Amino acid sequence: MTRRCAACNATTPSYDVNCCQNCGHQFHKPHLPLLSPNDKIDSFDGKSSKHRLKEHDKPSLSKPSLSNDDHNAKSSGPCQYKILCGEYLKSLSWNEALFDRRFNRCYCSNCYLNSWDNTLVEAGSLYVIPRGWCRFGLQVDKVRADVDHIWRDWIVTYHGTSQEAAHSIVAHRQFLIPGDKRIDGEKIAILPGHIKEKYHIYTSPTIAYSGNACYCPLTRFRSKITNKLYNARIVIQCRQKSGTFDVQQETIGAGNRRICPFIPNSQVEIFTTVRASIVPYGLLIHLAEVS
Ligand SMILES: [Zn+2]
Ligand SMILES: [Zn+2]
């Protein structure tokens, strides 16, 4: 018997698969737990898919999903912001094999409503929802995920960096520590202004900190869709192993200015020397129109 995907009508394999190989649509499963509004997934091209994972960060293949919406985002059409972010991502010409579109997720105010949670707890640790950013899912090594139970036991963190460094991390399949050499022989430098002689990887539970211009240099992007100019930033969303890092106060000279409404300045910076303790699973993009 031919099975067809309810979302795109493509023929799907008759063997047991949980999502459409063509569009990523999650097939219906019985006995569903209640889902949080944070769990909707979207396709790469901005077409809204009407189903969610139990937890948006978990691999969908083992997770049930709903095909009937019990919440509604403001607009049912494709998200223009997501399309724009997709256009920017395409302009970077990264290899598409690096991505897993099942975990795409837009956090703009139309897709992730103001009334929804600002923070979530994963593996007992609070992290801040990246409002205003759009995530493009990255391929995650299944062995790492299974052996280390990263979706269950590891916390969610952010790492803000330049376009080039982000590509290096994602394409190398690992974080490099300042002083390491990349495949092309280039040495990883410590960005000016950072703490000298400290060869750590820095992350944060809040994108308000990781997305700071100290970490994320702005790049200009002109959209062919809108013909407008944007400042683009990139942040990598990660799973990070508990107990392998230290937490400290901000190091960007914020002083009394509160960086994030949810995480105090004294706890916004996480640092580690353990490369293998951080697994990137999403590329977050932020575009701000240049007036
Ligand atoms: Zn499909
Ligand atoms: Zn959106």
Side-chain angles (χ1 to χ4, degrees), residues 64-109:
S65 64
L66 278 181
S67 55
N68 57 323
D69 258 355
D70 54 12
H71 81 286
N72 282 300
K74 277 178 191 164
S75 126
S76 53
C79 170
Q80 296 307 306
Y81 181 68
K82 184 175 186 188
I83 291 171
L84 208 57
C85 290
E87 186 197 3
Y88 171 68
L89 179 58
K90 266 212 171 100
S91 78
L92 302 180
S93 304
W94 292 20
N95 192 320
E96 285 208 17
L98 298 171
F99 294 93
D100 184 344
R101 68 177 59 189
R102 291 174 304 164
F103 304 111
N104 291 357
R105 174 90 202 256
C106 183
Y107 293 94
C108 81
S109 57

Side-chain angles (χ1 to χ4, degrees), residues 234-248:
I234 284 182
V235 164
I236 297 173
Q237 193 172 26
C238 313
R239 287 290 176 144
Q240 188 158 357
K241 188 179 168 72
S242 302
T244 62
F245 55 79
D246 290 300
V247 177
Q248 67 183 12

Side-chain angles (χ1 to χ4, degrees), residues 5 8 20 23 25:
C5 168
C8 73
C20 172
C23 74
H25 176 82

Side-chain angles (χ1 to χ4, degrees), residues 12-118:
T12 59
S14 53
Y15 54 83
D16 187 31
V17 291
N18 289 349
C19 74
C20 172
Q21 310 296 299
N22 183 47
C23 74
H25 176 82
Q26 303 291 309
F27 297 149
H28 192 82
K29 287 272 172 180
H31 307 304
L32 295 168
L34 267 181
L35 306 181
S36 88
N38 188 36
D39 304 331
K40 203 175 124 204
I41 55 168
D42 276 320
S43 62
F44 185 73
D45 53 9
K47 286 181 206 127
S48 186
S49 59
K50 294 188 172 167
H51 18 269
R52 285 159 287 140
L53 301 178
K54 180 174 178 294
E55 288 174 51
H56 71 287
D57 299 325
K58 301 199 173 183
S60 64
L61 291 178
S62 59
K63 292 294 160 190
S65 64
L66 278 181
S67 55
N68 57 323
D69 258 355
D70 54 12
H71 81 286
N72 282 300
K74 277 178 191 164
S75 126
S76 53
C79 170
Q80 296 307 306
Y81 181 68
K82 184 175 186 188
I83 291 171
L84 208 57
C85 290
E87 186 197 3
Y88 171 68
L89 179 58
K90 266 212 171 100
S91 78
L92 302 180
S93 304
W94 292 20
N95 192 320
E96 285 208 17
L98 298 171
F99 294 93
D100 184 344
R101 68 177 59 189
R102 291 174 304 164
F103 304 111
N104 291 357
R105 174 90 202 256
C106 183
Y107 293 94
C108 81
S109 57
N110 289 321
C111 298
Y112 193 91
L113 302 189
N114 290 332
S115 58
W116 293 352
D117 289 343
N118 290 310

Side-chain angles (χ1 to χ4, degrees), residues 53-230:
L53 301 178
K54 180 174 178 294
E55 288 174 51
H56 71 287
D57 299 325
K58 301 199 173 183
S60 64
L61 291 178
S62 59
K63 292 294 160 190
S65 64
L66 278 181
S67 55
N68 57 323
D69 258 355
D70 54 12
H71 81 286
N72 282 300
K74 277 178 191 164
S75 126
S76 53
C79 170
Q80 296 307 306
Y81 181 68
K82 184 175 186 188
I83 291 171
L84 208 57
C85 290
E87 186 197 3
Y88 171 68
L89 179 58
K90 266 212 171 100
S91 78
L92 302 180
S93 304
W94 292 20
N95 192 320
E96 285 208 17
L98 298 171
F99 294 93
D100 184 344
R101 68 177 59 189
R102 291 174 304 164
F103 304 111
N104 291 357
R105 174 90 202 256
C106 183
Y107 293 94
C108 81
S109 57
N110 289 321
C111 298
Y112 193 91
L113 302 189
N114 290 332
S115 58
W116 293 352
D117 289 343
N118 290 310
T119 58
L120 284 179
V121 172
E122 272 297 330
S125 187
L126 192 75
Y127 75 99
V128 180
I129 295 292
R131 287 187 184 278
W133 295 69
C134 182
R135 178 176 68 210
F136 295 90
L138 296 170
Q139 291 287 350
V140 172
D141 185 295
K142 190 179 179 303
V143 177
R144 284 303 305 280
D146 291 351
V147 169
D148 291 319
H149 300 290
I150 69 170
W151 308 113
R152 188 191 71 195
D153 297 344
W154 290 25
I155 71 167
V156 174
T157 59
Y158 302 100
H159 177 81
T161 188
S162 67
Q163 224 184 76
E164 294 77 21
H167 183 257
S168 159
I169 291 163
V170 172
H172 284 77
R173 319 298 298 145
Q174 61 182 306
F175 276 81
L176 299 180
I177 285 181
D180 282 354
K181 269 187 186 169
R182 300 195 313 218
I183 274 176
D184 63 10
E186 193 82 14
K187 227 177 183 180
I188 305 295
I190 302 173
L191 285 179
H194 281 249
I195 306 157
K196 297 260 180 342
E197 310 304 328
K198 284 205 171 171
Y199 294 168
H200 292 121
I201 302 165
Y202 294 93
T203 56
S204 176
T206 173
I207 201 160
Y209 187 63
S210 296
N212 187 284
C214 296
Y215 299 106
C216 291
L218 297 175
T219 51
R220 287 290 169 93
F221 165 66
R222 183 173 291 281
S223 165
K224 291 194 175 81
I225 299 169
T226 64
N227 198 33
K228 287 178 179 164
L229 199 59
Y230 299 88

